[in-house]
Amino acid sequence: MKISLTDLRPNPYRDLARYPIVRQKVESLKASIRSTGFWDNVLVRKAEDGAHYELAYGHHRLEALKELVREEIIEKDYQLDVPVRKIDDATMIRIMANENVEEFKVTAEIIDETVRVTREFIMKETRTPMQEITASDISQFLGGCWTEDKVEVALQRLSLFDRGTLQREQLKGLSHTAARSIQREVARIEKTMVRDELERLESDDEEVTEQERKRVRAQVQKVANHVAQVLSDHIRNGGTMGEAKEKSIEAQIEMLPEDEEQRRLSTIDAAARAVNAKDFERKVEMLMRYRDHMSEEARSELEGKLRDLGAWCKQMVETLGS
């Protein structure tokens, strides 16, 4: 069917503000259309109003055509000859979820928006409470490359967004891997600092009021937001996640009040308590049991490392006690 560009609408489940058009891909398509003409690789269904048509896929192609019309490369009354199919809402969501997943870079915001829309659709269709919809439910609905792990990470991000611990803009354009690293650090900070502060309040033998709990959460969210922004800027500027832990600590220190007598960080306390020599001890003890099977060169090298480690540990103990 020949359809005018003005009669086409986006997939109703695709919020273009949260599931954005990729500029690079539009420019590539515009160049292709200028060179070889438009290939009608889109699929539509008739909208409920009967006057318009909704795209199942092909949003980048539609955007490229609209821009070429504005640039007067294509005539305003251009019509597409496209297939019109009867497509239900569930299939429209699945098509949206899998459009260009393998072909083009998928950012965290696209994953999050797809999971959000799918969860809301399942909730509406099945009348299942949102909190009871699992990553497995969403993964099975979407199928393909939408693994439970990917969906679970997205659900955790959405929860952080809902609580205000993390802002969508802070992860905009970042890869799923980079966004996951930031969210895990932010979630760890939130959990550790809220627990530590509430325990401190409860140790005063007075009941902690809901107002005090809200105050603690608001303070922690402010710190977490700052850390997320610092890590996001760090990655955008070419930094690695290997440097993120120290960047996070520096960002947390920046948020400590200057008039506080003891500028203590709950996350540093937690990290210090987590230090455990047992794993190292087990590894060395295993090597010692089989030292008869160790070359003289390896034995000498291990001996030197243990001496260096002993001297370093002694120095650290003295520094802590000073």
Side-chain angles (χ1 to χ4, degrees), residues 11 13 45 87-97 118 121 125 141-142:
N11 187 319
Y13 292 99
R45 74 174 184 180
I87 308 173
D88 61 25
D89 289 341
T91 303
M92 290 290 277
I93 292 175
R94 292 187 181 104
I95 290 174
M96 178 195 74
T118 304
F121 180 79
E125 290 296 304
F141 179 91
L142 294 175

Side-chain angles (χ1 to χ4, degrees), residues 86-149:
K86 290 184 178 180
I87 308 173
D88 61 25
D89 289 341
T91 303
M92 290 290 277
I93 292 175
R94 292 187 181 104
I95 290 174
M96 178 195 74
N98 292 292
E99 182 181 13
N100 303 325
V101 163
E102 295 181 0
E103 177 185 348
F104 217 80
K105 176 183 176 183
V106 180
T107 59
E109 62 194 315
I110 290 176
I111 294 172
D112 295 345
E113 180 60 10
T114 302
V115 169
R116 183 189 70 81
V117 167
T118 304
R119 181 174 63 177
E120 290 184 357
F121 180 79
I122 294 174
M123 180 178 66
K124 180 181 176 182
E125 290 296 304
T126 65
R127 301 184 183 277
T128 303
M130 182 178 291
Q131 63 271 19
E132 294 181 15
I133 298 173
T134 66
S136 177
D137 296 331
I138 296 172
S139 175
Q140 289 179 28
F141 179 91
L142 294 175
C145 63
W146 291 87
T147 63
E148 284 189 35
D149 177 65

Side-chain angles (χ1 to χ4, degrees), residues 196-197 200 253 255-266 269:
D196 185 77
E197 185 63 19
R200 187 187 67 78
I253 290 173
M255 298 298 289
L256 290 174
E258 293 186 3
D259 59 351
E260 187 175 319
E261 292 183 4
Q262 292 185 341
R263 291 168 57 78
R264 184 176 65 85
L265 275 179
S266 302
D269 280 356

Side-chain angles (χ1 to χ4, degrees), residues 38-229:
F38 180 71
W39 293 78
D40 300 334
N41 186 21
V42 297
L43 178 66
V44 304
R45 74 174 184 180
K46 201 159 191 174
E48 288 186 2
D49 63 10
H52 298 93
Y53 295 86
E54 296 170 341
L55 280 173
Y57 63 80
H59 294 78
H60 288 87
R61 290 177 180 276
L62 178 60
E63 181 62 26
L65 284 173
K66 287 181 176 179
E67 292 185 12
L68 289 172
V69 168
R70 290 195 291 269
E71 295 169 15
E72 299 183 350
I73 304 297
I74 292 178
E75 296 179 358
K76 291 183 179 179
D77 59 354
Y78 180 83
Q79 292 185 322
L80 292 80
D81 190 7
V82 297
V84 180
R85 299 284 186 266
K86 290 184 178 180
I87 308 173
D88 61 25
D89 289 341
T91 303
M92 290 290 277
I93 292 175
R94 292 187 181 104
I95 290 174
M96 178 195 74
N98 292 292
E99 182 181 13
N100 303 325
V101 163
E102 295 181 0
E103 177 185 348
F104 217 80
K105 176 183 176 183
V106 180
T107 59
E109 62 194 315
I110 290 176
I111 294 172
D112 295 345
E113 180 60 10
T114 302
V115 169
R116 183 189 70 81
V117 167
T118 304
R119 181 174 63 177
E120 290 184 357
F121 180 79
I122 294 174
M123 180 178 66
K124 180 181 176 182
E125 290 296 304
T126 65
R127 301 184 183 277
T128 303
M130 182 178 291
Q131 63 271 19
E132 294 181 15
I133 298 173
T134 66
S136 177
D137 296 331
I138 296 172
S139 175
Q140 289 179 28
F141 179 91
L142 294 175
C145 63
W146 291 87
T147 63
E148 284 189 35
D149 177 65
K150 180 193 289 188
V151 174
E152 182 61 44
V153 171
L155 287 174
Q156 290 169 4
R157 269 199 299 268
L158 291 174
S159 178
L160 290 170
F161 295 151
D162 291 342
R163 294 201 300 276
T165 307
L166 192 60
Q167 306 300 319
R168 293 179 187 274
E169 285 296 314
Q170 292 170 328
L171 303 182
K172 188 173 183 179
L174 295 183
S175 69
H176 178 60
T177 301
R180 179 173 56 186
S181 298
I182 292 175
Q183 82 182 72
R184 283 179 173 172
E185 177 63 10
V186 167
R188 183 186 68 83
I189 290 170
E190 180 186 46
K191 180 180 179 180
T192 302
M193 294 186 76
V194 167
R195 180 190 63 206
D196 185 77
E197 185 63 19
L198 290 179
E199 285 179 354
R200 187 187 67 78
L201 290 174
E202 290 167 355
S203 67
D204 294 336
D205 293 330
E206 293 184 11
E207 185 177 350
V208 182
T209 66
E210 186 58 31
Q211 184 176 0
E212 287 175 318
R213 292 178 184 276
K214 288 182 178 179
R215 177 185 60 79
V216 167
R217 291 192 179 95
Q219 289 176 340
V220 172
Q221 285 173 353
K222 188 175 180 180
V223 174
N225 266 271
H226 180 62
V227 171
Q229 191 60 55

